[in-house]
């Protein structure tokens, strides 16, 4: 007899470790300080710790997700099926399997061997590795690491034994894998086969998944979760109907497999509306629905799930706020009524919890009242348990928890920092004219006269190398070993040296170098009202990298100028213009945990108004060029096209609110860290900045002809060299890129700059690369002027 799915679960759990143990183990292995065996041992310990913790928090059996990855969930599928592009073929053994070292080489590259590209996972801040699939890329089930993890868990449960039930049965956790449709939909064509459509290999891949499922069943898996978030998104190059059809055929086949665990298809990050009927028509046993981002399905769709297991994702995996238990319970009851008594409704999270930190109880320095409003991963696991009891036994069985939730909610709503009438009034008073500047024609003329820049002006994106010396000073300041004054002196000295260097290099528009900023969002979060930082709130960004987002909990305002003194100081050292440097409202929102109690657009305007004051102050201090970075503009773009217009309206609106308080002769720059034409042209058109810098070196200025043809007439700075690598690009190489850029757009629009900020680079390569950049600009400038 098979046991039903437990009443509560989560779609996934953080894997980096409560104290970032995995980060440390990985980095020590990569640095050659520890062996593969030691890394494996640390990883096994982490998995055991996670199982124990989830058990303590009330999850059991198939309710426990098994989702450990050394680096990335997509890369783990690449490894499982040996699906590496040609350039890594030599890393595969005789069976076609990657070693652990090989796995990391695919992730991180080695020497001339470029790693897989990295990109954002849906609309989150997590980055996955993009598989490259061609007609001949291996797709064969060769790597059974998931099965090994399952065996490990089952063995541990049997050993810890008492009351765990029959071997491998109820004690088996639930392996979580990226599903075949999403895997291929997120893959790109291998270099050897430009234009190849990875989805055409779905049938082959599904066969291999079937082999993996058989293996999992043999090892005792009762259930498996296949994540198919691709089904909630619109893709520029894949028709939605085609994806749904692909999913229907893939899951019909998998459901037919002779030996397999029961299958749950998960559709996190949005609504499964489009795919649900087709999936329900297959023989899969379970569905995991995101009921935070997505709505509760309609009556017919729910009825089609009768007799199945439905993981109702009512606890958000995306934010750090405690769940509104009343609202969640109402959704659960609605689902239960819709699917009928034969179905099993399981309380779940909307997505994996990999996007939130581990445990709010560790935030002992947080104001206790604020802390009571929050739920990190562990608190969310407890919440699914509470809701499961409420659903099965009635609300009264968990009356205390519901009361505590109501109390926290009331304290939050009543907190004076959450609703500040003066901030609300300021946003309410914004009129459309506050978001508009004079015509570009007028601005352009005024700026050309004021700045008197040469053709192809050179500049940088803002940061200069963050040396160990800078980091040490910051750490010492934090520990109290440096006084505020001493720390500021050290940073001033750094600014002076960065300004001197740029003068020496002959750059036209200088920057102060951002030495005083630990992070481009956290820096502002610390200076604005309405934000708070955490001590342990790390979340995985990619591989071993983590970020510690601030929490935006209240109404936002600017108590005092934030960057003016730095900009003024830098400007006092030179006759050339110094660019003021700010992070834009959308990026600040994207890289924080944002409040969920008012619309995002309203928070964006609050931040926009605070930045507007800063920009006006910079202007008054004599700063003639001000850059407002929005690298995250694309990240928050809704996954469905139908929601994008509204997003662009408020996001672009908040940027323009921040930048439209200045005179026409003040030049506004923005910077976007990407260069896909559709996204960029929309953004640079809408943001109305005088100059926009974008990433373009790796794609060899591919986008520029389209920008030219589009009729875009403001300034553009396509990056002429890639800052992601220490390689120093030659003068000739940069000249080539500049020539092609100057042929594609009017040279009068063109700026010369690197792809992005230089903070991760060293000084030696930075000096050499910028020296070549200036030489290239001078050469192409002369060529154009002599025409
Ligand atoms: N001004 C920032 C810097 O140079 C921009 C960083 C970014 O685009 N992510 O570091
Ligand atoms: Zn950038």
């Amino acid at each position: 007899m098979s046991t039903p799915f437990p009443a509560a679960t989560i779609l996934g759990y953080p894997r980096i470790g409560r104290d970032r143990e995995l980060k440390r183990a990985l980095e020590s292995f990569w640095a050659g300080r520890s062996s593969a065996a030691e890394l494996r041992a640390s990883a096994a310990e982490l998995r055991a710790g996670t199982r124990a913790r989830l058990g303590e928090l009330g999850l059991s059996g198939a309710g426990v997700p098994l989702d450990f990855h050394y680096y990335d969930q997509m890369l783990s599928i690449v490894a499982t099926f040996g699906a590496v592009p040609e350039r890594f073929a030599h890393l595969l053994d005789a069976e076609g399997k990657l070693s652990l070292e090989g796995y990391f080489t695919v992730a991180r590259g080695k020497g001339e061997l470029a790693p897989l590209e990295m990109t954002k996972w849906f609309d989150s801040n997590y980055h996955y590795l993009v598989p490259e699939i061609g007609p001949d890329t291996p797709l064969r089930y060769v790597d059974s690491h998931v099965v090994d993890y399952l065996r490990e868990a089952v063995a541990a449960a049997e050993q810890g034994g008492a009351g765990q039930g029959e071997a491998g049965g109820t004690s088996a956790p639930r392996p979580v894998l990226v599903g075949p449709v999403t895997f291929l939909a997120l893959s790109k064509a291998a270099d050897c086969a430009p234009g190849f459509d990875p989805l055409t290999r779905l049938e082959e891949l599904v066969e291999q998944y079937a082999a993996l499922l058989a293996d999992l069943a043999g090892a005792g898996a009762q259930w498996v979760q296949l994540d198919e978030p691709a089904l909630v998104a619109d893709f520029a190059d894949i028709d939605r109907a085609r994806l749904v059809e692909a999913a229907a055929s893939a899951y019909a086949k998998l459901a037919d497999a002779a030996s397999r665990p029961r299958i749950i298809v998960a559709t996190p990050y949005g609504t499964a509306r489009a795919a649900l009927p087709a999936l329900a028509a297959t023989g899969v046993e379970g569905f995991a629905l995101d009921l935070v981002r997505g709505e509760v399905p309609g009556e017919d769709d729910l009825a089609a799930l009768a007799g199945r297991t439905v993981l109702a994702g009512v606890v958000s995996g995306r934010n750090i706020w405690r769940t509104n238990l009343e609202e969640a319970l109402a959704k659960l009851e609605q689902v239960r009524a819709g699917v009928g008594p034969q179905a099993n409704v399981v309380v779940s999270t909307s997505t994996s919890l990999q996007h939130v930190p581990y445990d709010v109880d560790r935030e002992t320095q947080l104001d206790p009242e604020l802390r009571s409003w929050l739920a990190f991963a562990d608190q969310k696991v407890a919440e699914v348990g509470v809701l499961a009891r409420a659903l099965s036994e009635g609300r009264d069985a968990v009356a205390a928890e519901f009361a505590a939730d109501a109390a926290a909610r009331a304290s939050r709503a009543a907190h004076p920092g959450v609703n500040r009438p003066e901030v609300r009034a300021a946003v309410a008073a914004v009129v459309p004219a506050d978001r508009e500047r004079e015509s570009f024609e007028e601005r352009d003329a005024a700026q050309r006269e004021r700045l008197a820049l040469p053709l192809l002006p050179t500049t940088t994106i803002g940061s200069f190398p963050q040396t160990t010396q800078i980091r040490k000073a910051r750490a010492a300041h934090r520990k109290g070993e440096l006084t505020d004054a001493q720390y500021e002196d050290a940073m001033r000295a750094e600014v002076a040296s960065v300004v001197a260097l740029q003068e020496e290099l002959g750059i036209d528009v200088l920057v102060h170098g951002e030495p005083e900023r630990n992070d481009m969002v956290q820096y502002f979060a610390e200076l604005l009202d309405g934000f708070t930082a955490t001590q342990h709130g790390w979340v995985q960004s990619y591989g071993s990298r983590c970020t510690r987002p601030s929490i935006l909990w209240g109404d936002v305002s600017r108590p005092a100028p934030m960057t003016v003194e730095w900009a003024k100081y830098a400007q006092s050292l030179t006759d050339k213009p110094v660019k003021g440097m700010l992070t834009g409202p959308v990026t600040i929102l994207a890289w924080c945990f944002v409040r969920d109690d008012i619309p995002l657009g309203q928070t964006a305007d609050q931040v926009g108004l605070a930045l507007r004051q800063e920009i006006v102050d910079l202007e008054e201090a004599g700063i003639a060029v001000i850059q407002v970075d929005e690298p995250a503009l694309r990240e928050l773009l809704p996954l469905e096209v139908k929601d994008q217009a509204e997003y662009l309206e408020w996001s672009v609106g908040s940027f323009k609110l921040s930048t439209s308080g200045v005179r026409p002769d003040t030049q506004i720059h923005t910077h976007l860290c990407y260069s896909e034409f559709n996204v960029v042209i929309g953004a640079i058109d809408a943001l109305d900045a005088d100059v926009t810098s974008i990433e373009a070196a790796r794609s060899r200025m591919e986008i520029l002809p389209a920008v030219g043809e589009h009729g875009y007439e403001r300034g553009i700075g396509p990056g002429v060299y890639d800052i992601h690598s220490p390689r120093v690009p030659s003068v000739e190489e940069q000249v080539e890129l500049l020539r092609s850029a100057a042929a594609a757009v009017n040279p009068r629009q063109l700026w010369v700059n690197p792809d992005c900020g230089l903070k991760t680079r060293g000084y030696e390569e930075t000096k050499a690369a910028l020296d070549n950049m200036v030489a290239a600009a001078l050469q192409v400038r002369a060529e154009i002027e002599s025409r």
Side-chain angles (χ1 to χ4, degrees):
M1 246 300 285
S2 55
T3 41
F5 198 97
T9 191
I10 55 176
L11 293 194
Y13 191 68
R15 56 209 186 216
I16 200 74
R18 298 171 80 78
D19 289 301
R20 289 178 292 155
E21 293 88 340
L22 181 59
K23 173 189 179 65
R24 269 184 275 278
L26 285 170
E27 290 174 358
S28 132
F29 174 66
W30 295 337
R33 291 194 304 268
S34 58
S35 66
E38 285 168 301
L39 174 56
R40 287 209 169 84
S42 309
E45 209 175 297
L46 257 174
R47 292 192 294 269
T50 295
R51 288 195 303 269
R53 182 70 177 158
L54 293 180
E56 271 165 39
L57 291 168
L59 300 187
S60 65
V64 176
L66 186 76
D67 62 343
F68 176 79
H69 304 279
Y70 278 103
Y71 200 97
D72 168 49
Q73 61 245 25
M74 287 287 280
L75 180 60
S76 294
I77 299 293
V78 168
T80 300
F81 301 107
V84 298
E86 189 56 38
R87 66 179 179 284
F88 298 117
H90 65 282
L91 297 173
L92 301 174
D93 68 10
E95 265 94 70
K97 184 177 157 176
L98 280 175
S99 64
L100 193 52
E101 289 82 351
Y103 176 93
F104 292 129
T105 302
V106 176
R108 309 172 67 231
K110 194 179 228 170
E112 293 288 279
L113 216 49
L116 294 185
E117 204 177 281
M118 215 165 48
T119 193
K120 303 251 167 163
W121 178 247
F122 296 88
D123 58 353
S124 80
N125 202 3
Y126 175 78
H127 304 67
Y128 69 94
L129 290 166
V130 182
E132 297 169 25
I133 305 290
D136 304 314
T137 307
L139 286 180
R140 213 154 48 79
Y141 172 47
V142 286
D143 179 341
S144 61
H145 68 268
V146 194
V147 184
D148 301 338
Y149 299 159
L150 179 70
R151 289 216 165 89
E152 166 191 88
V154 169
E158 278 164 6
Q159 242 173 27
Q164 286 287 358
E166 78 265 34
T170 58
S171 64
R174 173 180 95 252
V176 176
L177 306 160
V178 175
V181 177
T182 295
F183 178 75
L184 291 175
L186 299 188
S187 293
K188 61 177 217 174
D191 280 347
C192 61
F196 181 75
D197 175 3
L199 263 178
T200 56
R201 300 201 58 196
L202 183 62
E203 218 170 300
E204 283 165 85
L205 181 60
V206 166
E207 263 170 45
Q208 301 304 313
Y209 267 82
L212 165 61
L213 294 192
D215 216 3
L216 284 171
Q222 298 275 308
W223 291 88
V224 66
Q225 171 183 326
L226 295 172
D227 286 339
E228 293 289 8
L231 297 174
V232 310
D234 286 320
F235 291 82
D237 48 354
I238 318 174
D239 189 49
R240 181 78 84 103
R242 173 149 179 255
L243 267 190
V244 171
E245 224 172 85
S249 89
Y251 285 94
K253 285 220 184 73
L254 288 176
D256 272 351
S259 163
R260 62 170 179 86
R262 279 164 288 172
I263 296 171
I264 291 165
V265 181
T267 43
Y269 304 98
T271 170
R273 180 191 329 107
L276 203 52
L279 285 171
T282 70
V284 302
E285 289 80 4
F287 300 89
L289 306 176
D290 182 337
L291 301 182
V292 177
R293 281 291 181 77
E295 68 282 7
V296 173
E299 261 175 48
D300 291 350
D301 285 348
L302 284 179
L305 304 182
R308 316 291 182 92
T309 292
V310 180
L311 275 53
V314 291
V315 169
S316 173
R318 299 296 303 279
N319 69 30
I320 41 74
W321 303 105
R322 60 187 300 155
T323 303
N324 184 329
L325 296 178
E326 291 290 353
E327 279 178 14
L329 183 59
K331 283 185 202 169
L332 290 166
E333 281 167 346
Q334 200 185 336
V335 172
R336 185 167 61 182
V339 295
Q342 256 77 53
N344 180 17
V345 176
V346 175
V347 183
S348 177
T349 53
S350 61
T351 67
S352 164
L353 295 173
Q354 74 176 114
H355 307 296
V356 299
Y358 279 84
D359 188 358
V360 84
D361 289 345
R362 300 185 72 188
E363 300 299 331
T364 48
Q365 288 185 11
L366 219 56
D367 167 43
E369 182 174 7
L370 174 51
R371 196 168 63 216
S372 77
W373 308 341
L374 303 177
F376 291 178
D378 286 0
Q379 286 68 41
K380 286 169 189 282
V381 180
E383 285 176 346
V384 293
V386 167
L387 285 164
R389 280 192 69 191
L391 189 63
S392 66
E393 298 166 36
R395 183 200 271 89
D396 287 350
V398 280
E401 284 83 353
F402 271 67
D405 179 45
R409 214 157 284 293
S411 114
R412 186 175 167 197
H415 192 286
V418 163
N419 187 344
R420 294 170 52 202
E422 72 282 13
V423 176
R424 300 293 170 104
V427 168
V430 169
V431 294
D434 294 335
R435 304 185 201 265
E436 296 299 333
R437 298 185 70 193
E438 291 77 5
S439 73
F440 177 66
E441 216 181 346
E442 181 182 344
R443 279 148 43 197
D444 192 39
Q447 291 162 20
R448 283 186 193 276
E449 188 178 323
R450 178 174 181 195
L451 295 169
L453 293 168
L455 193 65
L456 306 191
T458 51
T459 190
T460 61
I461 304 303
S463 59
F464 267 68
Q466 289 253 338
T467 57
T468 20
Q469 215 183 341
I470 298 177
R471 285 176 218 276
K472 275 200 186 134
R474 186 153 29 251
H477 180 227
R478 213 170 31 234
K479 285 189 212 133
E481 292 160 17
L482 280 187
T483 64
D484 289 354
Q486 283 170 322
Y487 174 68
E488 269 174 36
D489 281 348
M491 294 303 119
R492 270 172 189 266
E494 183 65 28
V495 169
S497 99
V498 167
V499 169
L501 172 63
Q502 294 171 90
E503 291 217 299
E504 200 182 300
L505 288 164
I507 291 180
D508 299 309
V509 173
L510 311 195
V511 294
H512 79 290
E514 306 179 26
E516 79 289 7
R517 302 187 191 172
N518 39 1
D519 171 280
M520 66 185 286
V521 168
Q522 200 187 327
Y523 179 79
F524 292 97
E526 280 168 8
L527 295 173
L528 290 166
D529 286 334
F531 293 79
T532 194
T534 69
Q535 279 174 281
H536 304 282
W538 296 98
V539 294
Q540 188 181 21
S541 166
Y542 66 91
S544 67
R545 295 293 193 104
C546 301
T547 61
R548 196 164 39 136
S550 298
I551 297 174
L552 197 178
W553 59 272
D555 280 349
V556 176
S557 66
R558 185 194 72 147
M562 305 180 284
T563 65
V564 177
E565 284 310 312
W566 296 109
K568 241 163 80 178
Y569 174 63
Q571 187 64 83
S572 75
L573 302 171
T574 175
D575 294 333
K576 294 202 170 154
V578 169
K579 207 161 38 162
M581 196 59 60
L582 300 168
T583 303
V586 186
T587 299
I588 289 182
L589 260 54
W591 294 350
C592 282
F593 288 118
V594 284
R595 60 193 295 183
D596 60 350
D597 56 341
I598 60 173
L600 263 183
Q602 199 175 326
T603 306
D605 273 353
Q606 293 180 3
V607 178
L609 278 178
L611 291 172
R612 182 183 177 103
Q613 294 168 352
E614 182 75 11
I615 292 172
V616 168
D617 285 350
L618 282 169
E619 179 180 69
E620 251 158 49
I623 303 300
V625 182
I626 300 164
Q627 178 172 310
V628 181
D629 294 326
E630 283 292 19
L633 189 67
R634 174 189 60 170
E635 192 173 306
L636 287 193
L637 190 74
L639 300 175
E640 291 194 86
V641 171
K642 70 170 179 49
D643 303 326
Q644 291 174 357
E646 191 202 329
Y647 163 74
L648 286 173
E649 167 101 27
W650 68 253
S651 59
V652 166
S654 68
F655 177 92
K656 291 175 76 177
L657 179 59
S658 69
T659 52
S660 297
V662 290
R663 303 190 308 254
D665 67 351
T666 294
Q667 188 168 67
I668 299 289
H669 288 219
T670 190
H671 168 68
L672 313 167
C673 290
Y674 42 83
S675 65
E676 298 114 287
F677 177 73
N678 289 325
V679 188
V680 164
I681 202 67
I684 60 183
D685 248 355
L687 295 177
D688 193 32
D690 299 304
V691 179
T692 303
S693 60
I694 58 172
E695 185 179 302
R698 276 180 298 187
S699 58
R700 306 203 54 81
M701 309 271 150
E702 232 168 46
I703 180 190
L704 274 216
V707 171
E709 283 154 28
H710 184 80
Y712 173 75
E713 55 171 12
R714 300 190 297 278
I716 184 147
V720 289
Y721 82 85
D722 178 14
I723 58 87
H724 299 92
S725 130
R727 203 177 70 87
V728 174
S730 66
V731 178
E732 298 74 57
E733 202 179 320
Q734 300 189 57
V735 162
E736 271 317 303
L737 291 181
L738 278 178
R739 282 192 190 131
S740 74
V745 300
N746 182 343
R748 273 171 59 90
Q749 292 174 259
L750 206 53
W751 284 66
V752 181
N753 48 256
D755 263 350
C756 195
L758 302 165
K759 59 174 166 268
T760 58
R761 296 271 61 93
Y763 260 106
E764 206 183 319
E765 75 238 26
T766 294
K767 279 185 200 165
L770 289 177
D771 205 25
N772 290 352
M773 182 185 90
V774 172
L778 288 177
Q779 186 179 326
V780 179
R781 191 181 290 166
E783 285 172 15
I784 296 170
E785 277 166 351
S786 69
R787 275 208 299 252

